Amino acid sequence: MKLLAYLRIWLACARYSVVRTMMFRFDFIMWSLVEFFWMGVNLLLVAVIYDHTHDIAGWTKYEMLLLVGTSMLIQRFIMGFFWSNLFEMGRNIRSGHFDFFLAQPGNPLFMVSTRKLDLDGIANAFVAGGVIAYAVHRLGLSPSFTDLALYALMITCGVLINYGALLVIISLTFWFGASQGIEGSYFTLMEFSRLPRETFRGATNVIFVWILPAVVVSNVPARTLLHGFDPVNALWLVGVTVLWLGLGIFTFNRGLRRYASASS
Amino acid sequence: MTSLAKYRHAFLLGLQSNIVYRWNFAIRALFSLFHLAFVFILWGAAYKGQTQIGGFDLDQTLTYFVILLVMQFFIGAFNEDYQISEEIRNGLINQFLLKPINYYGYRFSIFVAARSVSGLLALLPILCALPLLKDHLVLPHEGWRIALGLPAMLMAALIQFTIAYCFGLLSFWFLEIQSFIILSLAVETVLGGQMFPLDLMPPWFFHVSQWLPYYYQMYFPTAIFTGRIDQASALSGLAIQAFWVLALLCIAHLLWTRGLRRHTAVGG
């Protein structure tokens, strides 16, 4: 199937999601508030700690706000575009409803990943963007168009890395069947993306900076706005993107071979 | 069957069904160790260059978070609100209307069973991590902290469960309550001291929070055990906590009786 046909499918799914959201407006408002409040909780943590300390591993309050905002922006995009789809994939594998996606005339991974959009997540991406803009303003930064374009590209890499990691986690359902709660590990992992790289030492540095893609996703884009483009960091981010996206697709395809549906 | 025996059986049933999900709890407890790692890294970095924050040193703050974690698995409400909501939505609640059993008592018995299982399972990864944690754990030795901390913990469990129960009962009015629950969880996370010790907030905020039920969910018993509040504050806190237990029980009863008026038992 051509790329254009996939784009048309995605647009149809997006239209369906918008119509559905309009039907359940109260639900949309409530979930938008939920995400908004949780972002507020994370910002409050930064505010409280910086009330009592001047810097964290050399990062000042507004530098930290920029980092936390970057992490939130990536996570809002994941919540808006992929979370519900992948979360339901785990449920569907267990229940056998996954058959529905296999029967569709298209790549199963594309069909599974793009069925729904959560507009509340996307709406809150603007709030996260506002946090970043505020931090940039308070830091007195004036990023050029190139800096902003590079930052946007790095955010895209961050979203793809998160998507890959989430796909690996959810695809484990193909092997373990009842893996309730395993999805929560994604949020646990994302917590570390709100910390500066310099805070990690010894074993935590190896695990969260080098093995797991928790720190690179947010630290590299935030550093680009703060200190300008660093080709070594950018290459590191691209490498991690290829690795985790590849790992996600590989795990999904391997899992697909094990899928045996459920009873009729 | 005596009235207490009914709830003992509900407790035993809850125990059995929660042991089935032992791996879920164990995985959750394991992930919570990662959260603890986050806390240690963040606060460790925040304390660099200073020995005290808010009048407490690093080890006292880390001890607070370790005890808080244990507390969450022993007295925290996990998905009781969701379970109650499902029973109302699916009509399973109808059977309790016909039986001589109090629904709150039945659900609370199951809650106690579930927390016994999850609490004990949560201790396993913490015991495994003890060699790394033990140098940071600094618990005060005053006997009164145990004497006042245990009833505070018991009442905190009642508050946790009753709030979850009330949210579950909202299903009599709303089809979907999950967003209410997660919204409330965000408020509880901050005002219950789960994100940071409440005493680090500005004094006016800390004083206002002491009049709210969230303060008594996690922060209060943890603060007693870890030495963050003195005996006089603990005693006055117990009185306010008892008030909130009673107030929430009344609200729960009101929601139950009002909700039942709206409820339609369908099916045969």
Side-chain angles (χ1 to χ4, degrees), chain A residues 26-27 30-31 33-34 37-38 41-42 44-45 48-49 51-57 64 178-182 184-185 188 191-192 194-195 199-201 204 207-208 212, chain B residues 21 24 27 31-32 34-35 37-38 41-43 45-48 50 52-54 82 174 176 178-180 182-183 185-187 189-190 195-197 199-202 205:
Chain A
F26 182 71
D27 219 33
M30 281 304 290
W31 280 109
L33 277 176
V34 165
F37 263 63
W38 275 107
V41 168
N42 289 315
L44 194 62
L45 177 64
V48 168
I49 291 180
D51 262 355
H52 298 274
T53 189
H54 176 260
D55 70 280
I56 292 178
M64 190 73 173
S179 58
Q180 286 172 8
I182 202 167
S185 61
T188 308
E191 266 195 310
F192 293 92
R194 297 196 294 271
L195 292 175
T199 55
F200 295 87
R201 293 266 182 276
T204 58
I207 296 169
F208 299 110
L212 296 172
Chain B
Y21 294 108
N24 278 19
I27 288 172
F31 288 148
S32 65
F34 277 92
H35 173 71
F38 170 83
I41 294 168
L42 177 65
W43 288 94
Y47 268 89
K48 280 273 154 61
Q50 55 190 334
Q52 295 215 322
I53 286 182
Y82 182 71
F174 300 95
E176 178 59 64
Q178 203 148 12
S179 53
F180 288 105
I182 300 178
L183 198 61
L185 190 66
V187 178
T189 303
V190 173
M195 209 69 184
F196 40 79
D199 41 66
L200 295 185
M201 293 296 273
F205 186 97

Side-chain angles (χ1 to χ4, degrees), chain B residues 106-124:
Chain B
Y106 165 77
R107 292 278 1 162
F108 186 69
S109 308
I110 291 179
F111 168 76
V112 174
R115 285 305 76 84
S116 306
V117 174
S118 66
L120 290 173
L121 280 170
L123 287 181
L124 291 176

